[in-house]
Amino acid sequence: MAERSFAREVEDLKLREGEIFRGEGILAITKALLQSGVSYVGGYQGSPISHLMDVLADAKDVMEDLGVHFETSASEAAAAAMLSASVMYPVRGAVTWKSTAGTNVASDALSNLSSGGVNGGALIILGEDFGEGSSIMQERSHAFAMKSQMWLLDPRPNLPSIVQAVEDGFQLSEASNTPVMLEVRIRACHVHGQFVAKDNKRPTYTLKQALENPVRDVNRIVLPPANFIHEKDKLERRWPAAVNFIKEKKLNEFFGPEEGEIGIIMLGGMYNGVMRALQQLGLADVYGNSSIPLYVMNVAYPMIDEEVVDFCVGKKAVIMVEEGAPEYIEQTMHTLLRRRDIQTKLHGKDILPLGGEYTAPVMMKGLKTFIEMYDRILLGNQPPVPDPTPILNDPKVKALAEVVPARPAGFCTGCPERPIFAAMKLVEKELGEHHVSADIGCHLFSILPPFNIGGTTMGYGLGPASASAFNVEADKRSIAVMGDGGFWHNGLATSVGNAVFNKQDGVILVVDNYYSAATGGQDILSSRAINPNRKTNNSIVNAVKGIGATWVRQIDRTYDVAKMRDTLKEALTTKEKGPKIIVASSECMLNKQRRVKPQFAKAVKDGKRMVKERFGVDEDVCTGDHACIRLSGCPSLSVKHTDDPLKDDPVAAIDNSCVGCGNCGEVSEAAVLCPSFYRADVIHNPTGWDRFVSHMRNKVIGWLQARRAAGRIVFAD
Amino acid sequence: MNETVNLKTLIASDKPLTLAILAMGGQGGGVLADWIVALAEEQGWMAQSTSVPGVAQRTGATIYYIEMLPARDGVSPIFSLMPTPGDVDVVLAAELMEAGRSVLRGLVTPDKTVLIASTHRSFAVGEKEKPGDGIGDPTVVVGATDFAAKRTIAFDMDTLALKNGSVISASMFGALAAADVLPFSKDAFEATIRGGGKGIEASLKAFNAAFDRARARPRDEISASPPKRFDAMPETAGHPELDRLVHRLRAEFPEVALPLLFAGVKKLADFQDPAYAGEYLDRVGQLHALDRANGGEEKDYAFTVQSAKYVAVAMAYDDVIRVADLKTRGSRFDRVRKEVGVKQDQILYMTEYMHPRMEEVCGALPKGLGLWVEKRPKLFSWLDRRINKGRRVQTGTLFWFLTLYTLAALRRIRRGTLRHLRETEHLEAWLNAATPLLSRNYDLAVEVINNRRLVKGYSDTHARGLSKFDRVMSALMTLSDREDGAIWMKRLRQAALLDENGIALDGALKTVATL
C-alpha cells in the first residue's frame, strides 16, 4: 500500500470524451495510456514517476474493466523485459521508471528489445530526475536512445503536449517497429494543468488472444545471424520509417516568423523556459508569439535532418538549447551541417552552460549573448530584465548566508532506521570507524548529519557487492547497508549471493521497513501487509538462508538500540567467516502512522482502553549538550531557549509530532546520555481497575509529595 | 525582416501573476498550492503549479511555484515551470528561515514581491546538533526580508493554526487573502476551502483567524534570543532564613549583580537548602571583594556578575539526588500532565529512561566509603556489572516512586558525599585559576569564569565537557600576559562548543600555540 491514496485521482482516469482533466502531469500520462488502448503496464516506482505506479495500483477496477494488465515489476529490468510481449503480438505496452538510474538497470533488456524490434507499440516513460531536487547522478537518457537506436520523445511540458506524445509514441513505435522512450522531467511530472480528455480504449488485440495463439520468429531473437540482420534493419528500414512518420505527423513544431536572421532550436522540454527568457527579453509573449523563428524538437532522437537543414538554411546563426552533458544533438547537427556544407553558424554549449539545469535566467543570459552576436537590433526596445543581483549583493542579504541553515533530507519522525544508525555510532565509539558501503533507499540519509555514516553508494541493491573488494585479512570488517527495497530489487543475488559465494567476510545489514519506503511506501515481497493483489510476507531471513548464508540474525524491533548495538558488535568481531547478515526489521513509521492512527482513533471512540505514548524532556534535568540530537536527529526532537538565566544553551524539547517510537529514550539509555527523557503513557478510556489503582497510587504519592514540599524552604516560584 | 518587426507589435504585454511557496516536508505546501490553483481556476483564470518534491519530501525544503493569468479565448498561456529570481509577485514562506532562503535565492525583490512569512522556527539539524547554541539569529532574517520585500506580512502562522485546530497551510491561505495581492474576494478563498473536502471547519477557522490577524497586526516583533526570566527580589520571602539571604544580597552586593545572584540563591535553596545558598553568597562575596580590590567597579563588576552565574551553576551540579528529587516533585507531575495534554478522564504514567553506573553510585556514597570502593577496581567493576544497565523507572508506581523519593532524601547527607567533594575541588581549582588573574588581566579572569559553561551533561557527556574545559584552560599560561588573552580565551570556548569531539577546538588551540 502506498504512502498516498489515489482514490480521488482514479476518478479522473474515468473521464469521457470532451471532459476537462485537471491535475498533475504524471496522472495525465496515466490517463493518456488508457486512452491509447494500452494492454499492459509495468514499471518500478521512484521519484518522479511513483504516482503513475501508485495511481494504477489503486485503479484496479478501471484497469479490469478495460482488460489492462498492471504489474509492479521487481525492477526496471523486469519492467523492460515485460515489453517483450509486444515483440510478436500487436499489443501496446508501457513501462515506467526513474531515469537514468532505472534505465541503467533496464538497459540489457532494452538493448535486446530494440535489436529485435517490436510489433505492438512499446512505450517507456522516463521520469527524468535531473536538476533541482534530483537524488541521482546527473546524466542524460539520450545516450540510451542513441546506443540502442530507440526513439526518444521530449514533449513540450504542458499537459496537452505530453498526452499527445503518449499517443504519438505508440504510433511511432508501431510505424517503425521500434520501442519509444518518452522523457518527462521532474517539474513536468508534477506540473498541474489541464487537457481535454478522450474516452478510454479497450485493447483491440488482447493478451489472452496472444497467449492462446502463440507466434514465434527466430529472426526476432538476438542470436547470429539474426542480430546482424537487426542492425541492418534498424539502419535501413526502421530509422527511415521513423523519420517519415515524425515528418508526416509533424511531431516537431515550428513557431515564430518563417524567416529570420537567427533561429533557436530546442528540445520540447526546454520550450517553456526558452519562451519565458524570450518574453523577458521582449521577443515573445506569454501566449507563444515569438519574434524569432523557433524549431521545437519534441522528438529528441532521431534528429530529422531535413527539418534541421530547412530551418538553418538562410539564417546567419542558430542556437541549440539542450540540457545536460554532453551536447549530443549539437554534435550531430555540426556533423550534418558540415556534411551538407551549410555555412549557418551553430551555437549551443559554447554559449550556454555545459551542465546543470537550464533555468530561465540561465537561458535568458545565453540567448541574450547569442542575439547580441548576430541580431543586436532585436534587443532594441527590451524591457528591464528581472535582476536580483543588487539585492543579493547587499550586506544585509549576504549576512543571511551565515544564518539560513541547510536542510538536508533526513529520517522522518519515529523512523525505525534511526536507532540502527544510532547503534552504529555507538559501535564506532567502541571499535573505531569502519568502511561503510551504503545503498539506495531511505537509509542513505545516514550519510548526512547527524549520523555522517556511509562511504559509497554504487546502486540499488549493490551495497554489499560494493564492499566485496574488502574481503581481505584485516583487523576491521566492512559494513554494507542495504534496504529491503534494494534487497529484492537486485540485492539478493548480486549482493548476498555474491557475498556467500565468495565467502565475503563482512557485515551485511539489511534494513527491513516492510515497504519500498523511499519511493512512497509501496509493498514489496517481504511486506507484512496482506495485499489481496500480491503475495507478500516472504521472509528475507529465509531468502538469505536459502542461498547459503549461515550467520544470520533477525532483529524484530530496531528501536532496541542496545540489542542492535550488541548484534552489530558481535557481527564485527565473531570468528565465523563469510557474510554476517543482520536483518533489522521495524515498520516504516510514515506508513505505520497512516495505518494505525485511524484505528487508534476509532478504538478510542468506541470506548476501548487504549494507551497512547509520547516522549518528553525534563527541562530542568537537560543541560543543553544535545548529545541526544547527535544520536537521533528526529524532527520531533528539537531544542528551545529557556528563560532560566543560569542556562546558556538551549535545552532539548520534544514537540507534539512525537509518535512515541521510543528511540530517544532507548538511545539515552544505551549511550548513557542523561536521565531527562521520559515516556508519557496516557490511558484513554481507563477501566475501573485502572482508575482504582491510579487513585490509590496518587493518594500515596501525592501525600509524600506534599509532605516534602512543605518541608522545603524555598522562594516562591 | 519586415515581418519580424511587424510581429513584434503583435506581442501581448500580459504577464502572469507568480507565486512561490517555500515549505518543509509535512507543512502542507502542496495543499496550499492546490488551493491557490483551484481558487484561480474557479475565478476563470488559467493556472499552473509545479514542485520538486523528490527526497525533499522528508525533512528538506521544497519550493512550489504557481503562475496564473485570466483565461483568454483562443489562446493558452505558456507558463514557466520555475520561478525567475527578481520576477516573483508573492512569496509564501512557511517558516522564518525559509523566508530567509527565499531572499537568498533572489525570489524577493523590493520592486514587486509581497512576502508572507510565518515567523515560527523549525530548527534544522545543523542548528540542533551543536553542543552549544547553534540556533541562527532571527534578526538577521528580519533585517534582510525587510530590506528585500516590497511589503511583508509576518507572524507566527503555525501557532495560530494549531490554536484553531488546523495546520499552517490554512493560516497562510488566510494571510494571502488578507494581503490583497490576488484579485479574488475573501468569499472566493473560503469557497475554495469548502470545496476541498477534509477538515473544512477547522481550516476555515484558522483561515479567518489569520485573515483578521494579518489585517489588524501584520507584523510580529522578533528579538534575537528570548528574554531570560529575572524575578524581582521580594521584600519578604515568608521565611526568616530566606529573608536573611535577601537582606545579605541587598547589603553586600552591587546592584548590577543582583538579578543573577538572586537567581543563584533561588536555585541553590531549591537544590539543597538556604544554608547552601548562604555558602554561595560567602563564595561570591569573597570573589566580589577581590573584584573590587582590582578595579572591578570600572568594569561594572563583570567578574562578580559572571561569578554569580557560574558559581551557582557549579554548586547546583547534577547528581543522582538532584535527578531523583526533580523527577518526584508534584510540580513536575503537574507539568507533564499539562505538556502531554492529559484530559480529566485519562490516566498518565511516566517512565523515566535511566542508566545508572557505579560512578554515580559511588558519588552518592559518603566520601570515605566512596573513595574506599574506588580504590578497589575489582570490587568496583563487580558492583558496576550489577548496577550499570538501562532501567525503565515508572515514577507513577509506588515501588519506583519510593525508590526515587528515598534517593532524593539523601539530600540531607549530600555535603558529605564523594560527588560533593569532587565538585568542590573542581570549583575551587577553577576559581583559584581565575582570581590571581584579576590583577594582571581582568578580562581574562572573567573569561576563565565563563569557561564553566563547558562543563555540562551526565556520564560521558560530562566527561567530555570536563575534558574540553581542561583543554581550553590549558591555554591559560600562554594567554595570561597577553592583552588580547581574553579575546582568545573566548574564541577557544566558542570553538569548543562547535562540535562534539572538539575538532574546532584543536584547531583553535594550535593557533593559540603559535601566538
Side-chain angles (χ1 to χ4, degrees):
Chain A
M1 188 188 267
E3 206 167 274
R4 233 185 97 179
S5 163
F6 286 87
R8 200 203 63 73
E9 283 80 0
V10 167
E11 293 305 307
D12 291 340
L13 298 183
K14 299 176 185 164
L15 289 177
R16 309 291 302 265
E17 179 88 35
E19 291 181 300
I20 304 286
F21 173 102
R22 287 192 178 86
E24 206 186 15
I26 204 69
L27 303 176
I29 291 177
T30 317
K31 170 71 174 143
L33 290 174
L34 302 181
Q35 291 180 178
S36 305
V38 73
S39 286
Y40 62 96
V41 185
Y44 195 85
Q45 61 275 358
S47 166
I49 55 82
S50 275
H51 288 180
L52 196 162
M53 298 295 293
D54 295 343
V55 77
L56 286 175
D58 284 352
K60 194 168 167 284
D61 297 344
V62 184
M63 309 286 274
E64 270 175 8
D65 281 353
L66 290 169
V68 181
H69 171 67
F70 168 67
E71 194 157 298
T72 316
S73 311
S75 71
E76 295 85 352
M82 192 185 183
L83 290 173
S84 161
S86 296
V87 169
M88 295 310 309
Y89 309 100
V91 287
R92 286 186 167 181
V95 294
T96 186
W97 55 70
K98 172 196 194 85
S99 195
T100 52
T103 320
N104 287 328
V105 176
S107 61
D108 188 2
L110 288 181
S111 291
N112 282 287
L113 182 74
S114 53
S115 186
V118 294
N119 186 357
L123 192 66
I124 301 138
I125 292 149
L126 303 177
E128 197 70 21
D129 197 11
F130 182 89
E132 187 185 353
S134 166
S135 54
I136 58 167
M137 65 303 271
Q138 300 293 280
E139 292 185 353
R140 297 184 65 183
S141 301
H142 200 96
F144 293 90
M146 295 200 304
K147 83 176 180 65
S148 297
Q149 276 142 46
M150 288 179 287
W151 317 138
L152 175 63
L153 307 184
D154 187 355
R156 290 194 285 132
N158 62 68
L159 264 44
S161 294
I162 294 170
V163 167
Q164 187 60 44
V166 171
E167 294 178 21
D168 293 340
F170 279 119
Q171 290 178 23
L172 171 62
S173 175
E174 282 153 6
S176 61
N177 302 113
T178 304
V180 172
M181 302 197 289
L182 168 61
E183 168 181 42
V184 201
R185 291 173 180 76
I186 309 178
R187 292 172 203 274
C189 283
H190 297 300
V191 73
H192 169 100
Q194 42 187 269
F195 71 93
V196 182
K198 292 181 186 164
D199 286 336
N200 292 338
K201 255 197 248 167
R202 288 182 66 83
T204 44
Y205 188 84
T206 66
L207 289 165
K208 182 171 184 288
Q209 278 172 290
L211 198 54
E212 290 168 359
N213 303 284
V215 182
R216 69 186 283 273
D217 175 0
V218 286
N219 286 327
R220 306 296 291 274
I221 299 170
V222 186
L223 265 183
N227 54 337
F228 304 110
I229 302 169
H230 294 165
E231 190 190 21
K232 201 168 141 63
D233 189 46
K234 269 181 177 175
L235 296 172
E236 292 177 4
R237 188 183 65 81
R238 289 195 240 152
W239 191 316
V243 169
N244 283 338
F245 180 88
I246 294 161
K247 271 204 293 204
E248 275 168 24
K249 287 276 182 171
K250 295 191 167 47
L251 298 192
N252 295 324
E253 296 167 291
F254 295 88
F255 298 104
E258 281 188 19
E259 306 280 327
E261 292 281 291
I262 56 172
I264 302 170
I265 308 178
M266 74 206 77
L267 284 173
M270 299 287 100
Y271 174 75
N272 288 31
V274 168
M275 289 309 288
R276 180 52 51 89
L278 288 178
Q279 199 189 335
Q280 283 162 355
L281 292 170
L283 297 171
D285 70 14
V286 72
Y287 302 109
N289 300 305
S290 164
S291 306
I292 295 177
L294 309 174
Y295 172 42
V296 180
M297 298 171 67
N298 293 314
V299 184
Y301 188 85
M303 190 173 85
I304 310 302
D305 292 358
E306 295 313 318
E307 290 183 354
V308 174
V309 166
D310 286 350
F311 188 75
C312 291
V313 167
K315 292 190 177 64
K316 270 201 287 193
V318 297
I319 183 167
M320 176 70 215
V321 183
E322 62 181 313
E323 197 175 54
E327 67 282 44
Y328 296 119
I329 303 178
E330 188 188 336
Q331 288 171 6
T332 315
M333 276 180 190
H334 275 296
T335 308
L336 174 69
L337 296 182
R338 190 79 193 87
R339 278 192 185 141
R340 303 268 180 112
D341 198 21
I342 293 165
Q343 295 308 313
T344 308
K345 292 273 188 224
L346 173 63
H347 293 277
K349 288 199 186 275
D350 52 341
I351 292 177
L352 289 159
L354 289 175
E357 202 171 358
Y358 279 8
T359 59
V362 162
M363 291 207 259
M364 192 191 65
K365 191 163 162 258
L367 292 177
K368 193 170 171 217
T369 308
F370 172 67
I371 295 165
E372 277 170 351
M373 284 165 74
Y374 292 100
D375 208 357
R376 198 181 195 107
I377 199 161
L378 280 175
L379 293 170
N381 290 326
Q382 66 166 315
V385 165
D387 181 14
T389 37
I391 307 299
L392 295 178
N393 287 334
D394 190 275
K396 284 199 201 80
V397 174
K398 282 192 163 166
L400 272 179
E402 299 286 312
V403 177
V404 173
R407 293 208 191 267
F411 298 113
C412 306
T413 299
C415 175
E417 307 195 12
R418 184 172 289 113
I420 299 175
F421 294 101
M424 263 172 104
K425 279 195 98 167
L426 295 180
V427 172
E428 269 190 353
K429 278 183 185 158
E430 271 183 75
L431 302 179
E433 285 189 27
H434 283 68
H435 174 88
V436 179
S437 295
D439 203 288
I440 309 290
C442 289
H443 68 268
L444 193 55
F445 296 150
S446 68
I447 63 165
L448 300 169
F451 294 113
N452 308 307
I453 287 174
T456 53
T457 173
M458 283 293 110
Y460 207 24
L462 302 183
S466 65
S468 55
F470 300 111
N471 189 13
V472 291
E473 278 297 323
D475 292 338
K476 283 181 181 176
R477 285 178 174 146
S478 67
I479 304 174
V481 189
M482 170 165 65
D484 47 351
F487 177 84
W488 293 115
H489 178 271
N490 199 0
L492 174 60
T494 309
S495 277
V496 180
N498 184 65
V500 170
F501 189 63
N502 290 302
K503 298 188 172 178
Q504 187 178 321
D505 191 30
V507 177
I508 296 177
L509 180 65
V510 182
V511 180
D512 167 25
N513 57 29
Y514 305 7
Y515 303 92
S516 171
T519 57
Q522 293 82 6
D523 277 345
I524 46 175
L525 272 159
S526 51
S527 291
R528 313 259 172 129
I530 306 293
N531 183 329
N533 303 323
R534 304 277 182 261
K535 185 175 186 299
T536 49
N537 289 287
N538 305 291
S539 151
I540 292 176
V541 169
N542 289 349
V544 298
K545 283 186 177 164
I547 60 168
T550 47
W551 197 103
V552 184
R553 300 285 183 274
Q554 164 81 51
I555 292 175
D556 246 333
R557 203 177 68 86
T558 58
Y559 299 102
D560 191 339
V561 175
K563 187 174 176 197
M564 197 67 236
R565 176 198 59 199
D566 296 344
T567 311
L568 257 171
K569 217 172 120 185
E570 192 198 341
L572 286 167
T573 52
T574 175
K575 290 219 161 53
E576 192 168 323
K577 296 285 169 194
K580 266 65 68 179
I581 300 176
I582 304 169
V583 182
S585 309
S586 270
E587 183 173 8
C588 163
M589 189 52 84
L590 213 58
N591 285 282
K592 183 177 175 185
Q593 287 300 315
R594 206 164 71 78
R595 187 171 62 76
V596 171
K597 250 187 180 168
Q599 289 172 2
F600 188 94
K602 188 174 178 300
V604 168
K605 214 176 152 198
D606 293 348
K608 290 205 184 98
R609 178 190 191 272
M610 299 295 285
V611 181
K612 180 116 188 157
E613 297 176 354
R614 64 159 280 191
F615 275 72
V617 171
D618 278 311
E619 198 176 314
D620 300 340
V621 184
C622 173
T623 59
D625 171 73
H626 314 144
C628 52
I629 287 167
R630 291 189 292 276
L631 281 170
S632 161
C634 182
S636 72
L637 174 57
S638 189
V639 291
K640 67 173 183 195
H641 282 114
T642 139
D643 62 1
D644 182 346
L646 300 178
K647 279 193 176 167
D648 293 298
D649 295 316
V651 293
I654 294 178
D655 66 27
N656 276 318
S657 66
C658 174
V659 295
C661 74
N663 178 62
C664 41
E666 299 257 6
V667 163
S668 73
E669 187 182 86
V672 204
L673 291 185
C674 80
S676 337
F677 287 101
Y678 64 83
R679 190 183 77 216
D681 298 345
V682 180
I683 307 176
H684 295 248
N685 304 319
T687 61
W689 175 248
D690 281 331
R691 266 194 280 266
F692 170 73
V693 173
S694 161
H695 179 73
M696 297 311 286
R697 282 171 173 162
N698 287 345
K699 252 196 145 148
V700 179
I701 289 173
W703 181 75
L704 287 169
Q705 283 172 335
R707 184 173 168 270
R708 182 160 286 165
R712 221 186 268 274
I713 306 166
V714 288
F715 290 93
D717 213 16
Chain B
M1 272 315 290
N2 279 342
E3 198 177 5
T4 312
V5 174
N6 285 341
L7 259 166
K8 246 187 130 166
T9 59
L10 294 178
I11 285 176
S13 58
D14 297 2
K15 285 193 75 179
L17 199 75
T18 60
L19 301 94
I21 303 169
L22 283 90
M24 286 168 298
Q27 283 195 312
V31 173
L32 184 55
D34 287 349
W35 271 340
I36 295 170
V37 167
L39 169 68
E41 286 183 345
E42 202 53 47
Q43 299 297 307
W45 287 46
M46 296 288 281
Q48 173 186 285
S49 68
T50 51
S51 65
V52 181
V55 288
Q57 69 192 354
R58 301 303 181 212
T59 54
T62 306
I63 295 192
Y64 299 83
Y65 181 60
I66 302 162
E67 294 203 346
M68 54 172 82
L69 260 182
R72 269 174 51 173
D73 279 344
V75 285
S76 43
I78 295 152
F79 290 132
S80 174
L81 286 92
M82 58 186 103
T84 303
D87 196 21
V88 182
D89 296 301
V90 186
V91 167
L92 295 128
E95 197 259 5
L96 184 70
M97 285 295 162
E98 294 312 306
R101 197 184 312 282
S102 68
V103 174
L104 266 183
R105 293 184 65 138
L107 301 180
V108 183
T109 42
D111 54 328
K112 64 186 313 179
T113 316
V114 174
L115 174 67
I116 299 171
S118 178
T119 53
H120 78 283
R121 281 304 325 274
S122 173
F123 301 119
V125 66
E127 298 181 279
K128 298 195 286 188
E129 69 174 357
K130 296 274 181 298
D133 186 353
I135 294 175
D137 181 357
T139 56
V140 176
V141 179
V142 175
T145 50
D146 279 356
F147 165 73
K150 183 176 160 192
R151 184 154 63 89
T152 304
I153 296 177
F155 55 90
D156 186 341
M157 301 181 195
D158 191 50
T159 305
L160 188 88
L162 285 175
K163 267 189 200 155
N164 288 282
S166 187
V167 285
I168 189 166
S169 43
S171 51
M172 297 206 72
F173 201 48
L176 176 65
D180 286 327
V181 278
L182 300 187
F184 311 130
S185 70
K186 180 166 177 260
D187 290 345
F189 277 79
E190 289 179 294
T192 303
I193 295 179
R194 284 204 187 85
K198 271 198 282 186
I200 294 173
E201 285 317 310
S203 294
L204 282 174
K205 224 176 127 196
F207 170 88
N208 276 304
F211 184 91
D212 295 342
R213 169 70 214 269
R215 283 283 164 88
R217 211 153 42 87
R219 297 294 300 272
D220 262 351
E221 278 305 312
I222 293 183
S223 59
S225 54
K228 293 290 181 188
R229 179 182 139 186
F230 288 104
D231 300 330
M233 274 196 289
E235 282 307 314
T236 170
H239 192 282
E241 284 191 59
L242 299 178
D243 287 344
R244 205 172 307 129
L245 288 168
V246 174
H247 177 74
R248 274 191 71 186
L249 278 174
R250 290 214 169 92
E252 296 170 24
F253 295 95
E255 187 75 31
V256 59
L258 289 184
L260 277 168
L261 276 167
F262 181 56
V265 164
K266 257 185 97 168
K267 172 96 162 196
L268 294 167
D270 180 84
F271 176 81
Q272 181 64 27
D273 48 42
Y276 196 61
E279 287 169 37
Y280 160 70
L281 288 185
D282 295 345
R283 271 197 199 281
V284 183
Q286 286 163 13
L287 295 169
H288 178 55
L290 287 169
D291 191 2
R292 210 168 33 207
N294 287 289
E297 192 169 3
E298 265 177 46
K299 304 264 186 185
D300 279 340
Y301 296 117
F303 187 77
T304 307
V305 172
Q306 291 312 99
S307 300
K309 178 176 178 184
Y310 287 110
V311 170
V313 172
M315 288 179 72
Y317 51 86
D318 296 285
D319 61 353
V320 184
I321 304 167
R322 173 76 172 160
V323 172
D325 183 13
L326 289 172
K327 291 269 185 190
T328 47
R329 292 183 181 198
S331 55
R332 188 244 174 180
F333 276 50
D334 294 339
R335 197 190 65 235
V336 173
R337 283 190 78 83
K338 212 176 126 210
E339 269 178 23
V340 179
V342 183
K343 298 204 183 82
Q344 206 55 50
D345 58 342
Q346 295 170 340
I347 295 174
L348 169 75
Y349 283 107
M350 287 163 298
T351 306
E352 323 294 338
Y353 282 67
M354 295 187 166
H355 192 138
R357 304 175 307 166
M358 194 53 203
E359 280 93 330
E360 279 85 42
V361 174
C362 250
L365 294 175
K367 57 190 167 203
L369 181 59
L371 283 170
W372 185 84
V373 175
E374 267 192 5
K375 279 186 197 134
R376 281 154 190 82
K378 270 190 189 161
L379 173 66
F380 186 91
S381 60
W382 185 84
L383 287 169
D384 191 51
R385 278 197 295 280
R386 263 128 208 101
I387 286 161
N388 189 341
K389 64 175 178 188
R391 283 162 211 275
R392 307 284 160 87
V393 176
Q394 283 194 289
T395 17
T397 61
L398 292 182
F399 172 77
W400 280 116
F401 182 84
L402 285 171
T403 308
L404 291 188
Y405 192 77
T406 314
L407 266 177
L410 292 178
R411 196 155 62 108
R412 293 168 203 287
I413 63 151
R414 184 186 255 149
R415 283 188 180 84
T417 62
L418 180 58
R419 177 70 189 267
H420 187 75
L421 173 75
R422 291 269 154 78
E423 290 293 338
T424 311
E425 281 172 0
H426 190 266
L427 172 84
E428 280 168 0
W430 160 55
L431 294 178
N432 286 339
T435 44
L437 287 167
L438 272 173
S439 55
R440 287 156 66 193
N441 195 336
Y442 185 95
D443 295 343
L444 183 60
V446 176
E447 291 307 329
V448 168
I449 292 297
N450 288 339
N451 280 348
R452 191 61 181 61
R453 178 179 179 182
L454 295 173
V455 183
K456 55 184 173 178
Y458 299 76
S459 60
D460 285 357
T461 320
H462 185 73
R464 202 164 42 237
L466 276 177
S467 117
K468 276 185 182 170
F469 175 83
D470 291 343
R471 278 149 76 197
V472 168
M473 293 290 276
S474 71
L476 203 53
M477 284 289 279
T478 323
L479 297 177
S480 55
D481 289 321
R482 291 185 64 95
E483 225 172 88
D484 58 358
I487 297 168
W488 278 108
M489 187 53 91
K490 192 175 172 189
R491 279 186 198 148
L492 286 176
R493 186 173 62 249
Q494 283 165 342
L497 288 166
L498 276 181
D499 63 87
E500 176 167 12
N501 298 320
I503 297 163
L505 175 59
D506 286 341
L509 280 170
K510 274 185 196 145
T511 314
V512 166
T514 61
L515 290 175

